[in-house]
Amino acid sequence: MPRIIKLFNLNDPGWGRGNNNGSEPPPKRPQGNGDGPPDLDEVWRDFNNRIGSLRGRTGGGGGNNRPGNRGGMTPPSPRGARIGLGVIALVAVGIWAASGFYIVQEGQVAVVTQFGKYKSTSQAGFQWRLPYPIQSQEIVNVCCLNR
């Protein structure tokens, strides 16, 4: 009974570890025997090894022991950097192109200007124009202009 009370004592710095008042370090868990969940470091190392094998890198142990390795991270290859920059540029162009969509309500028209000069007039509905700074639109109410 005293061992159970000691096990659940919240003032005990070694609470729940089953040692003598925290004076001993917690026991080491055996690796890979299936008694519990795997160690987080082991899971992370396995994940990094699998990602590395998908990208064509070989090597084991995580590669943290090399001097000047910046915490185990390897610099990107020039090909990977070009692909990454290409994806970023493609996303940026896509967002810029999507900024050209606009909606004209019933009773309104949109006057589209290209570089500040009149280009066209758009009727009600979902419209698209070349994005800023090439074209812009000005919404004008026409309900009161017919009087």
Side-chain angles (χ1 to χ4, degrees), residues 52-122:
S53 68
L54 288 176
R55 295 193 318 185
R57 278 193 282 160
T58 58
N64 289 334
N65 296 331
R66 290 179 284 169
N69 195 11
R70 298 185 315 195
M73 295 177 58
T74 58
S77 67
R79 180 175 182 253
R82 283 192 304 268
I83 290 172
L85 288 175
V87 167
I88 290 171
L90 188 65
V91 167
V93 167
I95 291 172
W96 177 72
S99 70
F101 288 103
Y102 62 98
I103 297 174
V104 180
Q105 301 293 329
E106 287 293 327
Q108 296 177 335
V109 293
V111 177
V112 178
T113 58
Q114 183 168 335
F115 299 114
K117 294 185 178 185
Y118 174 79
K119 172 75 173 157
S120 63
T121 303
S122 300

Side-chain angles (χ1 to χ4, degrees), residues 5-26:
I5 293 173
K6 193 180 263 188
L7 181 66
F8 293 110
N9 185 359
L10 295 178
N11 294 326
D12 181 14
W15 180 79
R17 295 191 180 122
N19 54 15
N20 299 332
N21 280 340
S23 60
E24 301 173 11

